[in-house]
Amino acid sequence: MNGFVSKVQRFSLDDGPGIRTTVFLRGCNLKCKWCHNPECIPNAPVLLYHDTLCIGCGACMAACPVGAHSFTEEGHRIDRARCIRCGKCAEVCPAKALEMNAYETSAAALFSELLRDRNFYETSGGGITISGGDPMLQLPFLRELLMLARIAGIPVAVDTAGLQDFARYESILPYVNLFLYDIKMATPELHREAVGTDNALILENLPKLLARGARVWVRVPMIPQYHTDEEIQKIAEYLKPLPVERIELLHYHRYGIGKYADIGQNYEITCDEPDAAWMANAAKYFEGAKAEVFVK
């Protein structure tokens, strides 16, 4: 079974317990305006352009079969609407200013690569995390990875936005050691504005996972532009009664802004990063939750 991988990140300390290797798969059915992996959202490969590396040699323009590259007095321009993402420009770019952000691989080949970090998993209580995007969009590939890990005795966490039919989650429950489950907002209208889709299925699936005995850590990105005190309180009221193991309040950061320029998109979040006092105030709404609450 083949799948499309964006990248593999080793020695990750933020995607589950212990030292982990995180695999980012392509494809997501949410379009969060603050996403720090926007290149993972499309199902198809994405052409990245690192403008600071471009030397203006014109090799990409000569190699492109559809004329998507041009050079003017203003510099190198890419017609994203014309680009067919064939990767021929990236193949000939001597400065590595162009990069195709995806590669196709088999589950067996990818798992063989992940096994190289086995000693780190075993000594730290870590394992593999499959993230994205949302790996549930490549379910057959994900399932095969999970089965290979189960045979090898390696714990696996699956990071998901929860926006899939529950039957898809049931199909992998026996092979998942931990779900990292994202709750963006509680208010449907705000959720649609911020991520482009309704949140009813997301809110329905989490209690179902817990009722099936799944181990779950919930992660809530804290974006001051959207998370007013009222919205934070609504999220807390939803989560506090649930028997999740851990709630992580994720400090919004702007580290991913450069990626939006690399893929030819605008970054729409205008708020500043929250300070420690703002995060501490948000955490107060979760007092009394069944889960441990962490500010990260």
Side-chain angles (χ1 to χ4, degrees), residues 7-290:
K7 65 179 178 179
V8 175
Q9 179 176 306
R10 290 188 154 81
F11 209 82
S12 174
L13 302 176
D14 296 315
D15 295 316
I19 298 172
R20 312 191 70 81
T21 300
T22 302
V23 179
F24 294 88
L25 300 186
R26 300 211 58 81
C28 188
N29 48 5
L30 274 65
K31 293 180 174 60
C32 303
K33 293 183 178 180
W34 60 87
C35 181
H36 56 274
N37 290 317
E39 74 281 8
C40 292
I41 293 176
N43 288 322
V46 172
L47 176 65
L48 303 183
Y49 170 53
H50 312 294
D51 61 346
T52 57
L53 298 179
C54 181
I55 59 175
C57 67
C60 56
M61 185 168 65
C64 180
V66 294
H69 296 269
S70 61
F71 289 84
T72 67
E73 293 181 357
E74 297 179 352
H76 182 187
R77 293 291 177 265
I78 303 173
D79 186 338
R80 296 279 178 175
R82 181 175 290 182
C83 175
I84 58 173
R85 299 182 295 275
C86 65
K88 291 182 179 179
C89 58
E91 291 174 3
V92 301
C93 179
K96 307 301 181 185
L98 295 164
E99 174 191 358
M100 293 304 297
N101 185 254
Y103 63 93
E104 185 176 1
T105 183
S106 70
L110 175 59
F111 189 69
S112 178
E113 179 183 351
L114 301 175
L115 274 176
R116 297 196 316 221
D117 297 334
R118 183 170 196 151
N119 287 340
F120 293 111
Y121 312 149
E122 292 177 347
T123 57
S124 69
I128 297 166
T129 297
I130 313 296
S131 185
D134 192 324
M136 296 298 295
L137 270 68
Q138 295 193 50
L139 185 59
F141 182 69
L142 171 63
R143 187 185 295 116
E144 185 168 344
L145 280 175
L146 292 171
M147 290 179 176
L148 290 169
R150 174 55 58 92
I151 293 169
I154 296 176
V156 181
V158 172
D159 186 1
T160 180
L163 193 62
Q164 300 283 315
D165 290 338
F166 188 71
R168 295 171 68 85
Y169 292 100
E170 281 189 308
S171 71
I172 61 171
L173 267 172
Y175 312 105
V176 179
N177 300 90
L178 174 68
F179 283 96
L180 305 176
Y181 198 97
D182 299 342
I183 295 292
K184 317 292 188 183
M185 283 99 182
T187 305
E189 296 79 12
L190 190 63
H191 197 274
R192 283 193 291 270
E193 177 188 340
V195 308
T197 187
D198 189 80
N199 62 346
L201 187 59
I202 297 169
L203 300 182
E204 291 171 8
N205 279 339
L206 179 55
K208 290 180 180 179
L209 271 179
L210 294 166
R212 301 298 196 280
R215 183 185 176 199
V216 180
W217 290 10
V218 170
R219 307 207 286 187
V220 185
M222 306 303 296
I223 321 295
Q225 187 167 325
Y226 292 105
H227 290 91
T228 62
D229 284 356
E230 180 183 5
E231 183 60 24
I232 296 169
Q233 184 174 7
K234 288 181 179 180
I235 296 171
E237 289 174 351
Y238 167 75
L239 289 175
K240 284 165 68 172
L242 297 178
V244 301
E245 182 176 311
R246 177 175 175 134
I247 297 171
E248 294 185 343
L249 306 182
L250 304 182
H251 182 283
Y252 163 67
H253 61 73
R254 300 171 67 83
Y255 301 155
I257 289 182
K259 291 184 178 181
Y260 286 80
D262 289 348
I263 62 176
Q265 293 183 8
N266 295 323
Y267 189 73
E268 298 184 42
I269 298 297
T270 58
C271 66
D272 294 327
E273 296 183 7
D275 59 22
W278 191 94
M279 293 296 294
N281 177 69
K284 289 180 180 179
Y285 288 99
F286 293 84
E287 292 176 356
K290 289 186 176 182

